[in-house]
């Protein structure tokens, strides 16, 4: 055997040995799959979370069938109902009374009956009104009771009802008929015959109780992009209060700073050369202002988040558990995401944490913009939380949950994958220290957070609602705004109300205010409110009495009554404000949770405004009141269309009752002033447009509870930090590719069944 042959045989032998080793090392493991670590059952679900579970499609359908068969009235499907018809406007979960729920949750009482709240529009009656019924028990209803008078003191006047998709369709048909009366003007101003223009609703709808007249702003219809940036300068006021659609009328027309009584009047002024026309070109597909289409080919993929051994949280039904946390989640079709029975280490910290309302208040020198005060709950914050895009709206491997609702239809609808849950690596230490004196060591803990997220698209804006749970026992609530700005036609002194962002486009200034309900139960239901702040006391130095020093000291105070705990915007507020228990921690301090608000909201509507009481929650950055079952929400879906006589006025909740050792609720407002600018094109970015608040343990524990986190790291100078036993970060996970479900998106499938408000 020559040397060459020997070398070849040796090489083959080595290759064979290497292949055998690879087979042995990978035996029992699927190629490319990450080994899954089974989840520990921290908090097994015993069905308690179902008390707060949203209604299922089957339950929603059962309620509809029951109402159709037991009210003795003809009910028209709301999707095609006229104002003069009776219809079921919505059905949702009726949350049980807190006392009843707690008796069950804490093991001392029976499960509360599962019930639904049904809202009906009764237009086919001598006295048209809105009526609310509680229907139960589910899944087989056997009773219904009218709760309208108990909740609101009387029937809800019919003009306060939210505008339905069918009503918007009828308004749009009226506008199209009226536009045909000004063909020469439309051709000259907008290169249009009117059929390719789209409308955007405003709100509220008038200037006094009983009005139902809405300004609609007209834009060029732009396929595949935001038409909100293409106003043509034309706005129309439609009176649609009459129950007979045939009697609706166009009351006023606005164009380029001038008002007219009708489109025919506008046409006459144009023909007589009495009108200054600004010729707005129809947007061209290749140069649409605000297009979000990519301008470059995709680059290499960016960093991806994945779980090497599967998720470390568990989702069972409407309950999620994670490293000591237990949270029950849901979605109200009107007010949006809400959480119940939030516990940490088995102790309830929050009974209810829920979004209440989102206000957008605009300024402009055009009638639609200057009069707009959107109360998004009336449109449907939860209803318009659509399917999330995997890998962009949430991490690719997040858990996605469907949400079901019944609004303006007799048939339940589903928004697939419209809520996501994931663990987020913040790429920031939760805590750490590098010791460079006395002894040398490093200790730290990664900041990973459980996130529950939904995103609502409310006409032009997209709101990202986050609820985050930290290993320190803190809860973080955050909202980011993105989407398209709303605009007016640029004319006159338009830049007094915003910035020019296009050839004829004024980005109009506006306020975003979001309101939350936080029903804290800190070490039990009976809590008090304690504040802490700093002060300086000038005194002689005690050791010599020759010099003076400014000694920093702590000012503590217990707030005794609701009026003391109502902190108006721009008024001084204690830097530390905590819900505290009568019970002390190990060190003698009352166990508490601190509320820390992060907001840069604009000034609320002046109290002299006739509609301010409808949004009187906006007066306060924080208000703490005694919890009352008859005050479940700070607002109402009926406030939008009659803010002058609000169905619910939050200011009435504050009546100077004692708040010492009581069941208390914190009502928190956050927001920001947005003056649009060129960089809001094409879209408003989330950077810098996020506000929220923290609920942080404050002497609730005896030490930071994150010391028990399995993610803690510690090594000393005497250890080799590269050894797995000394440093878990050195334990590299096996080389594998995480399981990635195939990308699918069905978010457009049911849009034809759920028309957007005022965008037809």
């Amino acid at each position: 055997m020559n040397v060459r042959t020997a070398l070849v045989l040796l090489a083959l032998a080595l290759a064979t040995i290497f292949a055998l080793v690879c087979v042995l090392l990978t035996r029992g493991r699927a190629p490319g799959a990450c080994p899954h670590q089974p989840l520990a059952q921290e908090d097994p679900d015993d069905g308690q979370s179902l008390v707060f579970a949203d209604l299922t499609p089957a339950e929603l359908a059962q309620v509809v069938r029951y109402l159709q068969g037991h009210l003795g009235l003809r009910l028209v499907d709301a999707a095609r109902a006229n104002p003069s018809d009776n219809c079921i406007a919505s059905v949702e979960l009726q949350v049980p009374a807190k006392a009843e729920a707690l008796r069950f949750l804490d093991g001392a009482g029976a499960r509360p009956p599962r019930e639904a709240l049904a809202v009906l529009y009764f237009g086919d009656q001598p006295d048209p009104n809105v009526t609310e019924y509680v229907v139960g028990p589910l899944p087989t209803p056997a009773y219904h009771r009218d709760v309208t008078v108990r909740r609101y003191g009387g029937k809800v006047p019919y003009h306060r009802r939210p505008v339905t998709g069918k009503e918007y369709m009828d308004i749009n048909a009226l506008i199209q008929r009226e536009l045909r009366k000004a063909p020469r003007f439309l051709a000259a101003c907008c290169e249009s015959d009117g059929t390719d223009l789209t409308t955007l609703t405003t709100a509220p709808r008038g200037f006094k109780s009983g009005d139902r007249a809405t300004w609609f702003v007209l834009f060029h219809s732009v396929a595949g992009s935001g038409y909100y940036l293409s106003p043509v300068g034309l706005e129309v006021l439609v009176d649609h209060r009459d129950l007979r659609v045939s009697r609706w009328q166009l009351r006023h027309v606005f164009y380029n700073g001038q008002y007219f009584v009708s489109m025919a009047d506008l046409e006459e002024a144009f023909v007589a050369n009495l009108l200054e026309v600004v010729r707005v070109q129809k947007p061209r597909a290749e140069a649409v202002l605000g297009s979000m289409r990519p301008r470059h080919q995709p680059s290499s993929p960016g960093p991806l988040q994945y779980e090497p051994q599967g998720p470390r949280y568990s989702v069972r039904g409407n309950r999620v558990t994670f490293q000591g946390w237990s949270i029950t989640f849901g979605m109200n079709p009107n007010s949006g995401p809400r959480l119940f029975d939030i516990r940490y280490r088995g102790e309830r910290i929050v009974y209810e944490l829920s979004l209440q309302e989102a206000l957008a208040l605009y300024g402009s020198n055009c009638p639609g913009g200057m009069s707009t005060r959107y109360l998004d709950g009336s449109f449907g914050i939860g209803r318009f939380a659509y399917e999330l895009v995997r890998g962009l709206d949430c991490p690719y491997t997040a858990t996605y949950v469907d949400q079901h609702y019944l609004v303006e239809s007799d048939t339940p609808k589903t928004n697939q994958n419209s809520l996501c849950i994931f663990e987020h690596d913040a790429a920031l230490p939760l805590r750490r220290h590098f010791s460079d004196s006395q002894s040398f060591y490093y200790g730290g803990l990664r900041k990973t957070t459980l996130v529950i997220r939904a995103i609502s698209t409310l006409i032009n804006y997209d709101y990202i609602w986050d609820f985050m749970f930290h290993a320190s026992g803190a809860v973080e609530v955050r909202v980011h705004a993105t989407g398209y700005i709303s605009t007016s036609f640029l004319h006159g002194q338009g830049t007094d109300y915003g910035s020019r962002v296009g050839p004829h486009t004024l980005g109009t200034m506006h306020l975003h205010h979001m309101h939350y309900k936080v029903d804290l139960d800190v070490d039990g239901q009976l809590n008090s409110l304690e504040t802490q702040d700093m002060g300086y006391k000038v005194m002689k130095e005690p050791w010599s009495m020759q010099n003076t020093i400014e000694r920093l000291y702590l000012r503590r105070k217990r707030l005794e009554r609701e009026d003391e705990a109502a902190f108006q915007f721009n008024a001084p507020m204690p830097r530390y404000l905590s819900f505290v228990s009568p019970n002390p921690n190990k060190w003698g301090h009352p166990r508490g949770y601190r509320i820390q608000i992060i907001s840069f909201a604009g000034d609320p509507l002046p109290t002299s405004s006739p509609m301010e009481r409808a949004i009187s929650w906006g007066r306060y950055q924080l208000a703490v009141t005694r919890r009352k079952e008859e005050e479940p929400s700070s607002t109402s879906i009926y406030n939008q269309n009659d803010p002058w006589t609000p169905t619910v006025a939050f200011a009435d909740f504050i009546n100077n009752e004692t708040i010492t050792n009581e069941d208390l609720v914190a009502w928190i407002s956050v927001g920001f002033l947005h003056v649009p600018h060129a960089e809001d094109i094409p879209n408003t970015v989330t950077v810098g447009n996020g506000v929220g608040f923290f609920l942080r343990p404050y002497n609730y524990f005896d030490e930071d509870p994150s010391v028990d986190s399995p993610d803690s790291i510690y090594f000393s100078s005497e250890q080799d930090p590269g050894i797995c036993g000394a440093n878990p970060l050195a334990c590299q996970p096996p080389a594998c590719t995480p399981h990635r479900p195939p990308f699918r998106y069905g978010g457009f499938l049911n849009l034809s069944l759920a028309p957007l408000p005022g965008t037809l």
Side-chain angles (χ1 to χ4, degrees):
M1 182 183 296
N2 58 34
V3 176
R4 170 175 281 184
T5 302
L7 289 174
V8 169
L9 291 175
L10 179 60
L12 288 173
L14 290 173
T16 302
I17 292 169
F18 180 78
L20 288 172
V21 169
C22 289
V23 169
L24 290 172
L25 288 175
T26 59
R27 179 176 293 175
R29 180 160 57 91
C34 294
H36 180 73
Q37 178 179 356
L39 281 166
Q41 293 299 317
E42 305 176 44
D43 188 10
D45 189 350
D46 54 8
Q48 290 188 338
S49 62
L50 296 179
V51 172
F52 306 109
D54 296 338
L55 299 183
T56 66
E59 289 173 325
L60 292 167
Q62 282 279 59
V63 173
V64 170
R65 283 194 291 270
Y66 174 86
L67 292 171
Q68 290 171 336
H70 290 80
L71 292 185
L73 297 168
R74 178 176 178 268
L75 297 176
V76 178
D77 189 333
R80 55 182 178 81
N82 291 313
S84 56
D85 292 324
N86 302 322
C87 68
I88 301 171
S90 65
V91 178
E92 63 186 74
L93 174 71
Q94 171 68 19
V95 177
K98 180 178 180 179
E100 193 177 2
L102 288 183
R103 279 195 296 270
F104 170 67
L105 294 174
D106 295 338
R111 181 189 298 272
R114 190 157 165 80
E115 297 178 321
L117 178 68
V119 177
L120 281 86
Y121 298 166
F122 288 136
D124 188 13
Q125 288 191 359
D127 179 25
N129 65 84
V130 179
T131 299
E132 296 187 357
Y133 293 103
V134 167
V135 181
L138 298 176
T140 309
Y143 59 79
H144 65 280
R145 60 181 183 271
D146 186 338
V147 295
T148 319
V149 174
R150 178 175 61 80
R151 296 186 70 177
Y152 306 117
K155 294 292 184 185
V156 177
Y158 199 53
H159 66 267
R160 295 184 189 174
R161 71 194 187 281
V163 176
T164 66
K166 174 63 164 56
E167 190 171 354
Y168 282 123
M169 291 176 64
D170 291 335
I171 291 170
N172 194 60
L174 169 63
I175 293 174
Q176 287 295 320
R177 290 194 300 271
E178 292 295 321
L179 290 178
R180 289 197 286 269
K181 298 177 181 178
R184 285 173 285 188
F185 162 74
L186 289 175
C189 81
C190 318
E191 298 182 353
S192 172
D193 62 358
T195 60
D196 56 352
L197 299 181
T198 191
T199 61
L200 176 64
T201 188
T202 64
R205 308 179 190 282
F207 283 92
K208 65 181 185 303
S209 185
D211 284 353
R212 200 173 178 86
T214 306
W215 278 102
F216 287 86
V217 184
L218 278 81
F219 298 81
H220 271 128
S221 181
V222 181
S225 188
Y227 67 86
Y228 322 100
L229 304 179
S230 302
V232 299
L234 184 63
E235 303 183 13
V236 296
L237 178 64
V238 177
D239 188 335
H240 51 111
R241 181 180 179 185
D242 201 290
L243 300 191
R244 284 165 288 190
V245 176
S246 60
R247 294 191 176 185
W248 293 355
Q249 291 182 321
L250 191 149
R251 294 292 187 187
H252 290 289
V253 176
F254 171 85
Y255 177 73
N256 195 23
Q258 293 182 254
Y259 292 86
F260 305 88
V261 297
S262 66
M263 289 300 300
D265 185 32
L266 174 63
E267 180 81 344
E268 289 177 11
F270 171 74
V271 172
N273 204 27
L274 300 175
L275 181 66
E276 180 184 353
V277 174
V278 179
R279 301 181 184 276
V280 180
Q281 291 185 340
K282 186 179 297 186
R284 304 295 186 260
E286 65 277 5
V288 173
L289 183 67
S291 172
M292 295 181 68
R293 299 179 188 277
R295 299 185 183 181
H296 302 283
Q297 292 297 317
S299 63
S300 59
L304 295 176
Q305 178 173 316
Y306 74 99
E307 298 116 337
Q309 293 180 303
R312 305 197 300 177
Y313 58 87
S314 173
V315 180
R316 301 181 65 182
N318 64 320
R319 189 179 198 168
V320 56
T321 56
F322 172 72
Q323 294 188 356
W325 286 105
S326 171
I327 308 110
T328 299
F329 58 86
M331 181 77 76
N332 182 284
N334 299 311
S335 58
R338 58 188 181 185
L339 309 178
F340 290 98
D341 198 23
I342 300 173
R343 306 186 199 190
Y344 187 60
R345 294 183 165 186
E347 292 190 32
R348 183 177 299 108
I349 295 169
V350 181
Y351 176 75
E352 178 185 354
L353 170 53
S354 56
L355 178 65
Q356 298 287 294
E357 186 62 276
L359 164 71
L361 189 155
Y362 282 82
S364 173
N365 61 345
C366 295
M370 73 175 69
S371 61
T372 291
R373 288 95 173 91
Y374 288 132
L375 297 175
D376 289 328
S378 177
F379 294 94
I381 298 172
R383 171 191 176 190
F384 293 118
Y386 293 118
E387 182 170 356
L388 300 163
V389 174
R390 187 184 291 272
L392 197 154
D393 291 330
C394 306
Y396 201 97
T397 56
T399 298
Y400 294 84
V401 181
D402 297 346
Q403 300 295 323
H404 312 287
Y405 66 93
L406 191 145
V407 179
E408 294 183 27
S409 173
D410 285 349
T411 305
K413 303 295 187 303
T414 297
N415 284 340
Q416 314 183 92
N417 303 328
S418 55
L419 184 144
C420 70
I421 301 166
F422 57 94
E423 184 181 356
H424 172 61
D425 181 355
L428 179 75
L430 179 66
R431 51 182 174 78
R432 59 94 71 188
H433 178 63
F434 175 79
S435 176
D436 62 351
S437 62
Q438 189 179 11
S439 61
F440 305 129
Y441 63 88
Y442 176 90
L445 176 63
R446 294 167 56 203
K447 183 180 177 182
T448 64
T449 308
L450 180 75
V451 182
I452 300 175
R453 172 178 293 170
I455 304 179
S456 300
T457 299
L458 294 155
I459 309 180
N460 55 304
Y461 259 108
D462 297 66
Y463 295 98
I464 302 172
W465 313 107
D466 280 346
F467 300 87
M468 309 171 71
F469 301 89
H470 297 272
S472 62
V475 180
E476 180 180 356
V477 178
R478 189 171 60 186
V479 54
H480 287 91
T482 178
Y484 283 97
I485 58 173
S486 186
T487 66
S488 292
F489 188 74
L490 180 63
H491 76 93
Q493 302 301 310
T495 52
D496 289 347
Y497 307 94
S499 304
R500 181 179 179 179
V501 295
H504 307 287
T505 304
L506 174 70
T508 50
M509 65 182 297
H510 53 281
L511 311 177
H512 291 284
H513 282 185
M514 280 66 68
H515 200 229
Y516 291 87
K517 177 182 181 180
V518 187
D519 183 354
L520 277 159
D521 285 351
V522 178
D523 192 25
Q525 287 181 253
L526 301 182
N527 293 156
S528 301
L529 201 61
E530 182 178 274
T531 67
Q532 296 184 133
D533 214 328
M534 57 173 280
Y536 287 104
K537 183 178 181 179
V538 179
M539 57 175 292
K540 291 285 186 178
E541 57 183 19
W543 53 89
S544 71
M545 304 299 289
Q546 294 181 352
N547 302 305
T548 60
I549 60 172
E550 298 77 30
R551 184 164 65 179
L552 183 67
Y553 74 99
L554 183 63
R555 296 198 304 255
R556 287 194 180 95
K557 183 180 180 181
R558 284 285 177 98
L559 304 185
E560 303 291 339
R561 295 194 171 271
E562 289 178 339
D563 286 8
E564 295 179 82
F567 299 96
Q568 298 203 5
F569 269 106
N570 299 324
M573 181 174 165
R575 292 175 176 86
Y576 279 69
L577 188 147
S578 305
F579 274 44
V580 296
S581 159
N583 306 315
N585 71 354
K586 179 179 178 179
W587 313 114
H589 295 288
R591 301 184 73 196
Y593 255 78
R594 177 189 174 195
I595 298 172
Q596 183 176 350
I597 300 173
I598 301 172
S599 174
F600 46 101
D603 295 334
L605 201 64
T607 55
S608 58
S609 167
M611 67 177 66
E612 189 274 342
R613 270 179 56 79
I615 51 175
S616 53
W617 51 264
R619 300 176 191 175
Y620 310 99
Q621 51 189 319
L622 171 67
V624 177
T625 66
R626 288 173 63 170
R627 188 190 188 279
K628 296 179 180 177
E629 205 64 52
E630 59 270 24
E631 295 174 350
S633 175
S634 60
T635 186
S636 166
I637 59 172
Y638 312 119
N639 281 11
Q640 175 71 94
N641 291 337
D642 190 358
W644 310 281
T645 311
T647 303
V648 174
F650 175 75
D652 295 342
F653 292 12
I654 303 169
N655 50 19
N656 211 30
E657 291 183 292
T658 180
I659 53 173
T660 301
N661 289 330
E662 299 286 350
D663 191 0
L664 303 179
V665 174
W667 307 89
I668 300 174
S669 295
V670 297
F672 55 94
L673 169 66
H674 186 182
V675 181
H677 46 91
E679 291 79 11
D680 282 310
I681 308 301
N683 261 158
T684 293
V685 297
T686 55
V687 177
N689 290 316
V691 292
F693 59 92
F694 290 88
L695 307 175
R696 299 175 58 186
Y698 193 81
N699 289 318
Y700 185 84
F701 302 101
D702 299 331
E703 63 179 349
D704 179 7
S706 71
V707 296
D708 292 327
S709 171
D711 297 330
S712 295
I713 299 297
Y714 179 91
F715 50 82
S716 70
S717 60
E718 299 172 355
Q719 295 173 293
D720 181 356
I723 297 175
C724 184
N727 176 13
L729 291 179
C731 300
Q732 296 296 325
C736 59
T737 303
H739 172 68
R740 289 167 56 90
F743 185 91
R744 295 188 178 92
Y745 188 74
F748 304 118
L749 295 180
N750 66 351
L751 289 186
S752 60
L753 302 175
L756 294 176
T759 60
L760 301 166

